[in-house]
Amino acid sequence: MIKTYVKTLPRHQRLIFFIDSTINESQLRSIFEANLNVWGGRYNPVVPVVNNKIDKDWLDIIKFFDPDYIYYSKTIDLKYLESLTLFNPIEYLELSDGPSYHFPGVSSHCLLHADVHNNFRDARTLLHYDGDHTLEILAKQFYRLNFGLRPMFEEEKKWTYPLDVSPITSSTSKEINKIIYTDKPYFKSLLSSLHINSIFLWNNSTWAESRFEMVIYDKNNFLNDHLYFWNRQLYHKPNNVLYQVIVSTEELRELENDEWLPGLLTRLSIDNHIYIVSQSVGDKKLEDIRQSFQSKAGNLRIDIKQTLQFPFPSYNPQFTNDPYFKFQNNLILGKTDFLKFPSVTFEHGNGIDKEPYILDIIIERDIKDEHKEIKFPVTAELHFTVTKATNRVTMSNRACIFTTRDLQGTEFSIPNDMELIRSVLMYRRVQKKLITNPVDYVNESPAGQKLLAFIKLFKEDWSTIKQFLEDKFWLNLFRTSTDVSDSAIPKGKGIFHYLDLESEIEKLFNKYHDQIAERMKKGTEMELSEEFISQIIDREKKRLSYLISMTI
């Protein structure tokens, strides 16, 4: 009985967002915030499309990602995205007009645990306020996007019990910077950066590239700064560290008179150093902002960073290889068995919510004590050969299954080579559409069997085969065509087995029997009977067959 090892690895869903210049600031920030609310969302690229074209610099980085879903703005031509042939998502989904978004995935709140820490290392509290949307908070959107300060839904609150809460109320709503400085709370926006299974775009960055940055933007020209703020994270190895925040010039005016602003900046800095950066604010205004910050920041060093062309080149994209989740090995004996899904828990040991996640699958046949991995064409349809569970083939030619905590497992089959070939020729999967190819029946070709027999004649010695193929006599023989209508030798395809020759000789003697008899009669004055002629022809046929068998 054949042994097959099926390895499973749980991971978050991977998404890519394609947006165009018609998107407004509120919609773009809502996309960011919705990604912060799901496991792995901070490493979902957001990519600009201009006049239904993606700049080469962006294509050079997103080709490394392998999204499960792709979202795109309504004005973007879906056929253009599909024509890139860089992805094989299970579905392309059109973005709504907002104003808020929700993308499926395990809630990032599930990753909270008692020992969670961020830049402050000893963070044990959360910034939190109840669902009072009328609560006045200066620069509320700044805290919402950068730190995850928003009301929690009831189903989210059960995950926060391990930590204390620093409540934001009407009496403390103007003291958020003070609370951040004194209570050292955990920023919930960091949760979506934990336990990542994706690509980070390592680009041999310098020490300065890893420093904390404050991205400042003009609301009248917001797009490039937002894309920089969001996608810069892709160049950092996942870590429980806040590498950048984004703030508008209007929000700065709301915050600049807060006496605890220096305390906030100090807490955010890495090694007491902050860079400010902008693509939309002029140099003079940016220098004025820097000087204002520096005058209040004491020993904190604040510099202006000249932004290079973004996106940056990526010299060495790397998988994150998060050590917390590892492949679980499952042994399947025979053709079909029940594949049990591993449970998903994070550090706190509790389960997850009911939202979807992914199981990456590696299938390895145990052949002669060596594991031989089974891979699939990206358009392969696995429903008939592997599993009926919702699935797709990744760009690394492996299967992955879409599942939730409520699904304990699935019937799983190990396809043989012929089943894979048959499935690929008869069906193909394009997102959720099953396309039936105009092929009714697929079977093994006898031509392949003949070729295999031919190779075995020479004990798979290619040097000997080469000598025969380069010899004119044998080459002509291998290329032999025939006029026998029911010959075993297809016309122009040659001879690959001595049985073909025996059959051919038999049919040729039968076909030309009368001509041979006529020539024998003309070549002698003796009267030859039909029986005698048949005996002579049969003898010569057997002699020729014997010589051929001895030669081969």
Side-chain angles (χ1 to χ4, degrees), residues 2 58 77 215 220 262 290 336 359 379 418 487:
I2 296 177
W58 286 101
D77 185 0
V215 183
N220 294 320
R290 187 201 70 79
T336 302
L359 279 181
T379 58
M418 192 59 211
S487 171

Side-chain angles (χ1 to χ4, degrees), residues 367-413:
I367 301 175
K368 296 182 180 178
D369 298 325
E370 293 182 4
H371 290 179
K372 183 178 180 182
E373 183 174 354
I374 299 175
K375 291 195 173 185
F376 308 94
V378 292
T379 58
E381 171 51 50
L382 305 185
H383 180 87
F384 306 110
T385 56
V386 180
T387 177
K388 291 180 173 59
T390 303
N391 64 80
R392 78 174 181 94
V393 178
T394 67
M395 296 303 289
S396 57
N397 305 106
R398 291 171 173 166
C400 69
I401 291 176
F402 294 70
T403 186
T404 68
R405 73 173 191 194
D406 295 332
L407 296 177
Q408 303 299 311
T410 183
E411 288 292 322
F412 201 87
S413 298

Side-chain angles (χ1 to χ4, degrees), residues 307-415:
T307 56
L308 302 175
Q309 183 176 354
F310 191 82
F312 307 135
S314 180
Y315 302 109
N316 188 22
Q318 298 180 20
F319 283 101
T320 54
N321 294 323
D322 181 75
Y324 187 78
F325 289 105
K326 298 180 180 179
F327 276 101
Q328 176 176 299
N329 216 2
N330 303 269
L331 175 62
I332 289 184
L333 295 175
K335 176 68 175 173
T336 302
D337 204 344
F338 186 79
L339 178 64
K340 186 177 180 181
F341 295 166
S343 60
V344 179
T345 61
F346 299 104
E347 287 89 344
H348 51 67
N350 294 332
I352 59 175
D353 57 21
K354 296 182 178 181
E355 293 298 314
Y357 63 95
I358 303 292
L359 279 181
D360 280 333
I361 306 291
I362 295 179
I363 309 172
E364 294 181 335
R365 293 192 185 107
D366 191 359
I367 301 175
K368 296 182 180 178
D369 298 325
E370 293 182 4
H371 290 179
K372 183 178 180 182
E373 183 174 354
I374 299 175
K375 291 195 173 185
F376 308 94
V378 292
T379 58
E381 171 51 50
L382 305 185
H383 180 87
F384 306 110
T385 56
V386 180
T387 177
K388 291 180 173 59
T390 303
N391 64 80
R392 78 174 181 94
V393 178
T394 67
M395 296 303 289
S396 57
N397 305 106
R398 291 171 173 166
C400 69
I401 291 176
F402 294 70
T403 186
T404 68
R405 73 173 191 194
D406 295 332
L407 296 177
Q408 303 299 311
T410 183
E411 288 292 322
F412 201 87
S413 298
I414 308 302

Side-chain angles (χ1 to χ4, degrees), residues 8 45 52 80 111 155 249 254 270 284 291-292 296 303 344 351 365 395 414 459 476 502:
T8 56
N52 276 310
Y80 168 70
L111 284 78
E155 60 268 23
T249 53
E254 294 181 29
I270 297 177
K284 184 180 183 305
Q291 291 182 11
S292 176
K296 301 173 184 178
D303 289 319
V344 179
R365 293 192 185 107
M395 296 303 289
I414 308 302
K459 298 182 179 179
N476 288 335
E502 286 190 349

Side-chain angles (χ1 to χ4, degrees), residues 251-289:
E251 290 169 332
L252 280 179
R253 284 195 292 270
E254 294 181 29
L255 297 172
E256 62 183 356
N257 294 323
D258 185 349
E259 62 177 325
W260 288 98
L261 179 61
L264 172 66
L265 297 177
T266 299
R267 289 302 184 198
L268 294 178
S269 69
I270 297 177
D271 296 333
N272 288 325
H273 197 167
I274 285 181
Y275 283 101
I276 58 176
V277 59
S278 179
Q279 299 184 51
S280 58
V281 178
D283 292 343
K284 184 180 183 305
K285 187 173 183 179
L286 209 60
E287 175 59 23
D288 291 341
I289 294 171

Side-chain angles (χ1 to χ4, degrees), residues 3-37:
K3 293 190 297 185
T4 308
Y5 296 94
V6 179
K7 300 178 181 179
T8 56
L9 175 70
R11 66 165 172 84
H12 54 87
Q13 295 189 141
R14 295 194 291 256
L15 316 177
I16 285 185
F17 296 82
F18 291 101
I19 55 98
D20 68 4
S21 57
T22 65
I23 196 167
N24 61 49
E25 180 189 352
S26 177
Q27 290 171 328
L28 186 56
R29 291 172 77 99
S30 293
I31 290 173
F32 293 166
E33 290 178 15
N35 274 283
L36 294 178
N37 292 332

Side-chain angles (χ1 to χ4, degrees), residues 35 106 121 154 172 179 206 355 401 413 471 501 506-507:
N35 274 283
V106 173
R121 299 302 174 191
E154 285 300 320
T172 61
I179 293 172
T206 64
E355 293 298 314
I401 291 176
S413 298
D471 184 276
L501 290 172
E506 176 74 26
K507 291 175 180 178

